[in-house]
Amino acid sequence: MRRWRVTGCRPDLIRLWDDQCVLFNLSSGQTHQLNALAEAALRIMMQRPMAPSEIAEALAIELETEADPAWVQQFDQLIAEFDRLGLIEPVP
Amino acid sequence: MKLGELSTDETAAQLAGAGLALETGPFAVNLRCAAPGAAAFIRLLYPEHRVATGEVVHTDVAVRPHFNRRRPWRREAQLHIDDRPLMQALPRRFAAPMLEWGLNFAIGSRAHHLLILHAAVVEKNGRAVVMAAVSGSGKSTLCAALVSAGWRLFSDEFGLIRPADGALMPVPRPVSLKNESIEVVRRLMPAAVISPPYHDTAKGTLAYLRPPDDAVRRQFEPAMPAWIVFPKFRAGAPLTATPVPRAQAFADLLANSMNYIALAERGFAAMARLVESCPAFALEYSDIPAAIAHFEGLAAGETAA
Amino acid sequence: MADPAGAGLLRALREPAAMAGFEPALWNLVLPRARNAGLVGRLGVRAEAAGIAAALPERVRDMLVAAEAVAATHDRMIRFEVGRIRRALDGTGIGFTLLKGAAYVLGGLKAARGRLVSDVDILVARERIDEVERRLIEHGWRQEKTSAYDQRYYRDWMHELPPLRHRGRMTVVDVHHNILPLTGRLRIDAAKLLAAARPVEGLDGVTILAPADLVLHNVVHLFQDGDVNHGLRDLADLDDLLRHFGPEPGFWSALAARTAELGLGRPVNYALRHAAALLGTPIDPALRAAVGRTAAPPPIDRLMQALLGRALARSGQPAPDLPTRLAREALYLRSHWLRMPPVMLAGHLARKGAMQFLPERQGV
């Protein structure tokens, strides 16, 4: 199971306003807009490196929703997107 | 010494020689241009500005005659920034306004010690409004209209934010008026000094409004931002002011920033502070007096609060 | 002809503390020159190191801060690109070695600060270069030059792939399988460069050229780059490299050995003499003596010294005077003579000359 850690952001470079998040990407120097779910996933990964399925599970518990395959799959996509942006790196 | 205290001949001699160092807000720029009319243009628009002779300048802006090898009969002028040519040569009758374009370029491309927004800024009772918009949205006209109603001019082009404290820095320079807005402003401000019109530029007819003396005298007095406005002129539209959510305002301001990328984390922090410290709204309008009344209401309401 | 702007810039680089005493009129000459030579950021770094930044006029500080901001953004971009290249090669086991600007940035060299680098140059083993190219293209890079002529020119004569530009970020990576020898008579064994390269902490598989090779590559670049306009910046890089690695035990002897091995005595001699004369670079006397013995016969040596000295000292001069233009052109042509056989030279230059007039060069 491949775990990922956040290397491209810090808590002080994230702003959550209403349900929209803006963050500064330290790796690329770009600024991104995230939705609230993506923001939550990123914040969780800031605490410790995680695999997509672990994030899905943790957030499912928080949000009292079911971690069905569709739910889990969206975190695979999210991780791929974070990776493409250079926000996260796989932990060896 | 103020520029207006130099005679036209002295001004012309400096412009044609080593240059005339002009201080405008946090910038000092050396201007050079031997074209006839340049001295009168500068004296007309910058009489209250200080001449910074013998001081360090940020940039050198020169407009020089250009020889077009393929069309040698054309009388052209070329803009140079720090002795490097910038943009293509233009007919020499644009030599004087080219100094203005050079100043804009010098500020917009060099002043990375400040966060620069493409925005008009005016202030009343210590509170500034940032009107961020692309060219053609009527921001200069609205800016001139507010100045006619007693708002202090910071700039019709640059919102300069000091990263350390988020304050807006004035850089009061001539307001550039395009096409119909020249007449609109003339009617609003019958006593205003406006340069001769320059026809057939890339943006149509251009003319420059001299900044009020008071705005120039107070050019080192910053102010804190109080409102963010995204103005949009639409013919016949009633005035509407729609709140813009912060994340959206952030993105829209970012799109109107000239050097956000270069400022990196500092830019992010300054921009976040701006949208957190004041409400943002999209203003659609067609009637200038109604727009002025709207801003007056804002200023009155906020001061009462 | 006196050139106070160039003299002032050299003085600022050589004795940063002297900047504290610069008169406004001198600043107004030095700042534009430094800006055009790509050296404003470096002045800021040196003023800071000399402890005199706070004593400079406020407007000068504005410009140094502004240049530093731009440089920091470039540094970040370089690091990001290196990370992206590494991710694109993930799983292949292919390592790569950083050259030039990217090596300075990732190696944490002082030379990196204030330097504007737009491309990332990497060196990979020749037998893996096709795979590297394929991987990069799969990950969003694409080839800029498409004509068969360009392809051959790059692959055969430049020891590199045609520049690869990333579709989304528009940044460029130059993938080399060797660095250019300065003359056609010698071949550089790229395997030795790769073997001597030093790892970058925290980035498995990424290395930077060993110090001696980094210096020699800079020297080769100084002489080969058609854009001698930035020669002073390259020389300032050399100065920083030598100041940075000079105190490291064994550095000078390794540099001397490598210089002899690669037959680079003459260019090193020219470069060191100019660095010492223009920027006060400390040079190991033994190396200086060793490369001095390889100098060209006096008339040629004098000609080269004169051409180079003029081109370097006037880097960033906006409208060069005639001798400076000639010096630059001589160096440009010289670099081309050295790169390829004379028959090709004519073809390449003619082609470049004609292509300049094509309004649309894409898709040729």
Side-chain angles (χ1 to χ4, degrees):
Chain A
M1 196 167 55
R2 203 175 200 190
R3 289 201 168 86
W4 300 78
R5 64 176 172 189
V6 179
T7 49
C9 201
R10 289 195 312 249
D12 63 302
L13 298 174
I14 304 177
R15 295 287 189 286
L16 186 66
W17 295 308
D18 312 313
D19 63 343
Q20 283 292 310
C21 162
V22 176
L23 70 82
F24 183 80
N25 182 338
L26 277 169
S27 311
S28 67
Q30 291 176 322
T31 300
H32 310 295
Q33 268 183 285
L34 263 53
N35 67 26
L37 187 67
E39 191 254 7
L42 195 71
R43 288 226 193 236
I44 280 196
M45 274 193 287
M46 279 181 167
Q47 287 157 16
R48 65 179 178 87
M50 289 176 111
S53 60
E54 293 173 319
I55 301 165
E57 206 170 309
L59 284 177
I61 294 166
E62 285 292 320
L63 301 170
E64 296 178 14
T65 182
E66 187 157 344
D68 58 26
W71 174 261
V72 176
Q73 202 194 347
Q74 70 176 341
F75 289 95
D76 284 333
Q77 287 166 1
L78 187 63
I79 290 296
E81 182 66 12
F82 281 167
D83 179 32
R84 195 180 61 75
L85 298 175
L87 280 169
I88 57 174
E89 272 180 11
V91 177
Chain B
M1 178 186 234
K2 284 179 188 173
L3 204 152
E5 291 163 25
L6 289 174
S7 70
T8 308
D9 285 351
E10 283 171 297
T11 310
Q14 290 197 17
L15 281 170
L20 184 108
L22 184 78
E23 181 184 54
T24 170
F27 304 108
V29 178
N30 193 49
L31 300 175
R32 290 188 285 166
C33 179
F41 179 86
I42 292 294
R43 284 189 85 239
L44 181 74
L45 297 173
Y46 289 94
E48 284 293 313
H49 283 74
R50 197 173 67 85
V51 178
T53 307
E55 298 172 23
V56 176
V57 294
H58 289 95
T59 305
D60 183 81
V61 173
V63 174
R64 299 202 184 100
H66 176 76
F67 177 71
N68 186 327
R69 243 179 270 180
R70 294 195 191 162
R71 297 175 183 81
W73 59 88
R74 283 202 183 166
R75 292 165 53 78
E76 294 186 335
Q78 170 82 59
L79 178 60
H80 294 256
I81 305 289
D82 287 335
D83 278 324
R84 288 273 162 111
L86 180 82
M87 53 184 228
Q88 68 192 78
L90 295 170
R92 214 169 288 177
R93 63 196 166 87
F94 294 140
M98 280 167 91
L99 287 171
E100 277 296 298
W101 305 337
L103 266 161
N104 285 342
F105 177 86
I107 294 171
S109 66
R110 297 281 160 75
H112 308 316
H113 54 300
L114 303 168
L115 176 64
I116 312 174
L117 300 176
H118 195 196
V121 178
V122 292
E123 172 266 337
K124 196 164 225 182
N125 304 330
R127 295 157 162 265
V129 50
V130 177
M131 293 183 281
V134 293
S135 304
S137 55
K139 114 178 114 62
S140 288
T141 317
L142 190 53
C143 173
L146 289 170
V147 168
S148 78
W151 291 66
R152 175 158 72 109
L153 174 71
F154 273 43
S155 171
D156 74 319
E157 189 74 19
F158 295 112
L160 303 176
I161 297 171
R162 189 162 60 189
D165 60 359
L168 288 158
M169 314 291 289
V171 51
R173 290 181 37 226
V175 176
S176 111
L177 304 172
K178 294 164 206 86
N179 303 317
E180 307 83 57
S181 72
I182 301 171
E183 272 317 302
V184 172
V185 171
R186 224 186 273 282
R187 277 198 301 274
L188 276 169
M189 310 169 73
V193 175
I194 299 178
S195 78
Y198 295 90
H199 301 290
D200 305 315
T201 74
K203 290 175 174 173
T205 300
L206 279 182
Y208 293 89
L209 167 72
R210 180 206 282 180
D213 292 350
D214 176 61
V216 179
R217 283 188 210 113
R218 296 173 62 193
Q219 64 176 329
F220 302 112
E221 264 179 56
M224 294 309 284
W227 306 277
I228 301 161
V229 179
F230 299 103
K232 178 110 187 77
F233 177 88
R234 193 160 68 86
L239 184 138
T240 55
T242 316
V244 177
R246 279 177 174 159
Q248 186 60 45
F250 190 104
D252 291 348
L253 286 171
L254 200 150
N256 279 298
S257 169
M258 299 179 175
N259 66 349
Y260 173 81
I261 297 285
L263 267 74
E265 294 100 313
R266 283 190 305 147
F268 179 85
M271 203 73 107
R273 178 185 196 144
L274 176 62
V275 301
E276 280 172 344
S277 65
C278 40
F281 53 93
L283 183 81
E284 196 171 80
Y285 71 98
S286 57
D287 183 45
I288 296 274
I292 294 176
H294 181 79
F295 280 94
E296 294 292 350
L298 283 178
E302 290 290 331
T303 41
Chain C
M1 200 178 85
D3 177 28
L9 177 56
L10 287 173
R11 176 130 193 258
L13 289 167
R14 202 169 49 232
E15 325 163 37
M19 283 190 271
F22 278 17
E23 295 294 327
L26 184 55
W27 275 120
N28 288 340
L29 294 171
V30 169
L31 274 180
R33 179 65 65 87
R35 201 174 272 141
N36 289 335
L39 284 166
V40 181
R42 178 112 35 171
L43 290 185
V45 174
R46 297 224 164 164
E48 200 69 57
I52 52 122
L56 299 176
E58 187 182 353
R59 290 178 192 141
V60 174
R61 270 185 285 136
D62 288 347
M63 293 293 98
L64 300 183
V65 168
E68 165 63 18
V70 174
T73 302
H74 275 252
D75 280 11
R76 191 195 304 268
M77 187 199 83
I78 296 289
R79 285 179 191 277
F80 184 67
E81 286 304 313
V82 169
R84 295 292 89 190
I85 295 165
R86 187 163 163 264
R87 295 280 298 135
L89 299 179
D90 202 16
T92 60
I94 302 175
F96 59 94
T97 298
L98 302 173
L99 309 174
K100 302 195 250 185
Y104 305 157
V105 172
L106 275 287
L109 278 136
K110 266 198 307 175
R113 297 307 300 160
R115 189 184 198 279
L116 296 188
V117 207
S118 44
D119 300 357
V120 174
D121 289 87
I122 65 171
L123 178 70
V124 302
R126 180 164 204 162
E127 61 274 17
R128 308 299 294 269
I129 198 165
D130 293 334
E131 199 179 345
V132 170
E133 181 177 21
R134 199 170 57 242
R135 278 285 185 139
L136 290 176
I137 287 171
E138 278 168 18
H139 283 81
W141 280 267
R142 66 179 160 200
Q143 266 174 20
E144 288 260 276
K145 307 254 181 184
T146 48
S147 90
Y149 177 87
D150 283 332
Q151 289 278 346
R152 227 189 68 206
Y153 171 71
Y154 273 93
R155 284 165 202 266
D156 295 352
W157 293 106
M158 302 295 289
H159 308 298
E160 64 184 84
L161 299 175
L164 291 164
R165 190 181 286 276
H166 193 274
R167 248 173 255 262
R169 302 190 295 273
M170 304 312 284
T171 45
V172 172
V173 54
D174 288 322
V175 184
H176 306 247
H177 60 75
N178 204 342
I179 61 178
L180 281 173
L182 197 54
T183 77
R185 281 173 285 134
L186 278 160
R187 288 191 63 83
I188 293 174
D189 185 354
K192 279 190 180 172
L193 300 176
L194 290 170
R198 294 181 170 185
V200 175
E201 203 182 327
L203 290 179
D204 287 344
V206 184
T207 51
I208 61 174
L209 281 185
D213 292 331
L214 217 44
V215 168
L216 291 177
H217 194 210
N218 168 289
V219 170
V220 170
H221 194 251
L222 187 64
F223 281 82
Q224 260 168 347
D225 197 353
D227 182 19
V228 187
N229 199 23
H230 275 144
L232 188 56
R233 192 197 61 192
D234 288 338
L235 198 72
D237 283 345
L238 179 65
D239 178 56
D240 275 327
L241 285 168
L242 293 175
R243 287 176 196 270
H244 181 85
F245 289 120
E248 216 177 89
F251 165 73
W252 291 106
S253 55
L255 181 58
R258 215 66 171 122
T259 302
E261 183 186 349
L262 297 175
L264 289 172
R266 268 189 208 175
V268 167
N269 182 29
Y270 291 134
L272 294 188
R273 272 153 73 184
H274 279 105
L278 296 176
L279 302 175
T281 313
I283 311 282
D284 177 57
L287 177 65
R288 206 174 171 145
V291 295
R293 283 193 289 276
T294 67
I300 298 172
D301 187 61
R302 271 201 303 276
L303 174 67
M304 273 308 292
Q305 289 285 357
L307 288 176
L308 245 190
R310 182 170 276 278
L312 291 173
R314 306 213 163 184
S315 283
Q317 191 176 36
D321 54 34
L322 190 62
T324 305
R325 273 209 311 268
L326 286 177
R328 280 186 201 166
E329 256 148 51
L331 283 170
Y332 179 69
L333 283 177
R334 187 193 129 87
S335 70
H336 271 73
W337 288 330
L338 293 170
R339 263 186 239 184
M340 54 185 110
V343 185
M344 282 218 28
L345 167 70
H348 182 68
L349 286 185
R351 215 179 148 77
K352 267 203 158 168
M355 300 230 311
Q356 282 175 9
F357 297 105
L358 297 178
E360 296 292 330
R361 276 195 276 169
Q362 276 75 25
V364 172

